[in-house]
Amino acid sequence: MNKGELIAAVAEKTQVAKKDVETVLNGFIDTVGETLQQGEGITLVGFGSFVVKEQAARIGRNPATGAELHIPAKKVPGFKAGKQLKDKLA
């Protein structure tokens, strides 16, 4: 499912205009990004948690030449599914 299909599905399920759903979804995405950028996490009970993970520096390898590359440490977004979401998939 892509973003447009998600907007259509939510609009149908909630009986809200697609344009309004799109505005709310874009606001949600922006807020999650800004919060993670500040180093904070977001927990939605029953759904899951958006977190910032630290990825350690490591040595990589160029597959074409075999030369070693230094890959610096960085922060990456992560998501951990909540129990209710996991139970829906079981």
Side-chain angles (χ1 to χ4, degrees):
M1 177 180 285
N2 62 31
K3 185 176 178 182
E5 293 168 340
L6 176 62
I7 290 168
V10 172
E12 183 179 325
K13 185 168 262 193
T14 60
Q15 301 298 317
V16 176
K18 285 184 183 181
K19 197 69 174 165
D20 294 337
V21 173
E22 182 178 13
T23 301
V24 171
L25 182 59
N26 287 337
F28 174 77
I29 292 169
D30 290 344
T31 302
V32 169
E34 291 167 3
T35 303
L36 293 178
Q37 192 175 35
Q38 295 170 3
E40 299 176 34
I42 297 175
T43 301
L44 303 173
V45 177
F47 181 71
S49 299
F50 296 93
V51 294
V52 177
K53 296 180 180 183
E54 299 280 338
Q55 199 171 59
R58 61 191 194 278
I59 302 296
R61 190 171 301 277
N62 182 333
T65 65
E68 287 189 352
L69 303 169
H70 174 69
I71 302 170
K74 62 182 175 180
K75 295 178 181 180
V76 295
F79 178 77
K80 182 178 178 188
K83 183 177 180 342
Q84 290 176 350
L85 181 58
K86 287 180 186 177
D87 290 346
K88 285 188 176 194
L89 301 176

PDB file of all heavy atoms in Angstrom, residues 24 51 54 62 67 76:
ATOM      1  N   VAL A  24      -3.887  15.587   7.594  1.00  0.00           N
ATOM      2  CA  VAL A  24      -3.567  14.993   8.897  1.00  0.00           C
ATOM      3  C   VAL A  24      -2.376  14.039   8.775  1.00  0.00           C
ATOM      4  O   VAL A  24      -1.462  14.066   9.608  1.00  0.00           O
ATOM      5  CB  VAL A  24      -4.798  14.263   9.484  1.00  0.00           C
ATOM      6  CG1 VAL A  24      -4.423  13.461  10.716  1.00  0.00           C
ATOM      7  CG2 VAL A  24      -5.895  15.268   9.819  1.00  0.00           C
ATOM      8  N   VAL A  51      11.559   5.293  17.301  1.00  0.00           N
ATOM      9  CA  VAL A  51      12.733   5.584  18.108  1.00  0.00           C
ATOM     10  C   VAL A  51      13.899   5.984  17.213  1.00  0.00           C
ATOM     11  O   VAL A  51      13.890   5.739  16.002  1.00  0.00           O
ATOM     12  CB  VAL A  51      13.153   4.365  18.961  1.00  0.00           C
ATOM     13  CG1 VAL A  51      12.093   4.037  20.000  1.00  0.00           C
ATOM     14  CG2 VAL A  51      13.432   3.162  18.090  1.00  0.00           C
ATOM     15  N   GLU A  54      21.151   4.313  17.377  1.00  0.00           N
ATOM     16  CA  GLU A  54      22.539   4.664  17.075  1.00  0.00           C
ATOM     17  C   GLU A  54      23.143   3.508  16.283  1.00  0.00           C
ATOM     18  O   GLU A  54      23.068   2.357  16.700  1.00  0.00           O
ATOM     19  CB  GLU A  54      23.333   4.857  18.367  1.00  0.00           C
ATOM     20  CG  GLU A  54      22.821   5.958  19.266  1.00  0.00           C
ATOM     21  CD  GLU A  54      23.268   7.333  18.825  1.00  0.00           C
ATOM     22  OE1 GLU A  54      24.285   7.430  18.099  1.00  0.00           O
ATOM     23  OE2 GLU A  54      22.602   8.306  19.200  1.00  0.00           O
ATOM     24  N   ASN A  62      33.954  -1.982  -0.799  1.00  0.00           N
ATOM     25  CA  ASN A  62      33.462  -1.651  -2.126  1.00  0.00           C
ATOM     26  C   ASN A  62      33.384  -2.955  -2.919  1.00  0.00           C
ATOM     27  O   ASN A  62      34.411  -3.607  -3.146  1.00  0.00           O
ATOM     28  CB  ASN A  62      34.414  -0.656  -2.801  1.00  0.00           C
ATOM     29  CG  ASN A  62      33.943  -0.237  -4.163  1.00  0.00           C
ATOM     30  OD1 ASN A  62      33.232  -0.971  -4.846  1.00  0.00           O
ATOM     31  ND2 ASN A  62      34.353   0.946  -4.580  1.00  0.00           N
ATOM     32  N   ALA A  67      38.069  -2.647  -2.068  1.00  0.00           N
ATOM     33  CA  ALA A  67      38.718  -1.720  -1.140  1.00  0.00           C
ATOM     34  C   ALA A  67      37.857  -1.509   0.099  1.00  0.00           C
ATOM     35  O   ALA A  67      36.634  -1.472   0.027  1.00  0.00           O
ATOM     36  CB  ALA A  67      38.956  -0.384  -1.831  1.00  0.00           C
ATOM     37  N   VAL A  76      19.732   6.456  12.995  1.00  0.00           N
ATOM     38  CA  VAL A  76      18.743   6.010  12.017  1.00  0.00           C
ATOM     39  C   VAL A  76      17.389   5.860  12.709  1.00  0.00           C
ATOM     40  O   VAL A  76      17.315   5.563  13.907  1.00  0.00           O
ATOM     41  CB  VAL A  76      19.150   4.666  11.358  1.00  0.00           C
ATOM     42  CG1 VAL A  76      20.413   4.828  10.524  1.00  0.00           C
ATOM     43  CG2 VAL A  76      19.339   3.577  12.386  1.00  0.00           C
TER      44      VAL A  76
END
